[in-house]
Amino acid sequence: TAVMASKGYYDPDIRFEVTGEATPYKVDLSIDPGSRYTLAAYEIVYLGGAPDAPLGLPDVAESGLEIGEPAVADRIAGAESTLVRWLHNRGFPYAEVSDRLVLANHPDHDIWVQVTIKTGPLIRFGELQIEGLVDVLPVVVERNIAWERGDVFDQSKVEVMRNRLLDANVFERVAIRPE
């Protein structure tokens, strides 16, 4: 039934009958998936309350889900990753999902999802600290900075800078992390 539920079928009727006097036995299996459940609600709760977010907070639209769509587990789990990435790109590099509650309403064939997110502190870009350069001048790194000091942290800008540095074929590896 776990496979059925992962596809949005939370109330299947699975029956089997074993017949025969000796091996090999005959097994008749009947599977009626029942109604496919839909997403009735998707609520985002912030651990410790909603943070001060100068660029706003995500809602169900940013998750990639639509109310009324089939309640497919992969899509719901993927929405969590999308929300966390959204927050990483808007000042919260330490955001993570801390809990998920999914309730099935069997009479109406729908589910309600509540995701709890721990955002961590709002981070802004500060002074860049460059470490570990060998035979490369700091200006090579500095001219590839993709943000301004004081900007709200944005993981996508960090990835742009990282990719620029790797594409220059000067560095074996590049690690950029907020502190």
Side-chain angles (χ1 to χ4, degrees), residues 2 9 30 33 36 44 49 58 91 100 103 116 125 128 150:
Y9 298 97
S30 169
R36 194 173 205 187
I44 304 166
R100 174 191 327 118
L103 298 175
T116 303
F125 287 111
L128 183 66

Side-chain angles (χ1 to χ4, degrees), residues 103-118:
L103 298 175
N105 177 351
H106 294 290
D108 292 338
H109 304 286
D110 59 25
I111 68 163
W112 173 79
V113 178
Q114 182 184 62
V115 176
T116 303
I117 296 179
K118 178 181 172 186

Side-chain angles (χ1 to χ4, degrees), residues 151-169:
D151 287 352
V152 171
F153 182 89
D154 183 338
Q155 184 64 42
S156 65
K157 290 181 178 180
V158 171
E159 290 304 315
V160 165
M161 180 180 175
R162 183 178 180 281
N163 289 336
R164 285 179 185 167
L165 292 172
L166 288 172
D167 289 347
N169 292 319

Side-chain angles (χ1 to χ4, degrees), residues 41-163:
Y42 191 86
E43 181 182 5
I44 304 166
V45 176
Y46 295 93
L47 196 62
D52 179 28
L55 301 178
L57 291 171
D59 60 20
V60 69
E62 279 82 16
S63 76
L65 294 174
E66 291 184 32
I67 300 302
E69 75 173 76
V72 176
D74 287 348
R75 296 254 316 130
I76 293 168
E80 293 176 7
S81 298
T82 300
L83 289 171
V84 168
R85 191 170 39 258
W86 192 96
L87 288 162
H88 287 179
N89 292 339
R90 287 164 182 84
F92 297 96
Y94 302 111
E96 63 184 13
V97 173
S98 62
D99 196 16
R100 174 191 327 118
L101 175 64
V102 179
L103 298 175
N105 177 351
H106 294 290
D108 292 338
H109 304 286
D110 59 25
I111 68 163
W112 173 79
V113 178
Q114 182 184 62
V115 176
T116 303
I117 296 179
K118 178 181 172 186
T119 61
L122 174 69
I123 303 292
R124 294 185 180 274
F125 287 111
E127 182 179 339
L128 183 66
Q129 296 176 359
I130 302 169
E131 299 172 353
L133 294 181
V134 178
D135 299 327
V136 178
L137 296 174
V139 70
V140 173
V141 175
E142 292 164 351
R143 72 173 171 229
N144 285 290
I145 296 174
W147 60 82
E148 296 290 326
R149 186 175 181 175
D151 287 352
V152 171
F153 182 89
D154 183 338
Q155 184 64 42
S156 65
K157 290 181 178 180
V158 171
E159 290 304 315
V160 165
M161 180 180 175
R162 183 178 180 281
N163 289 336

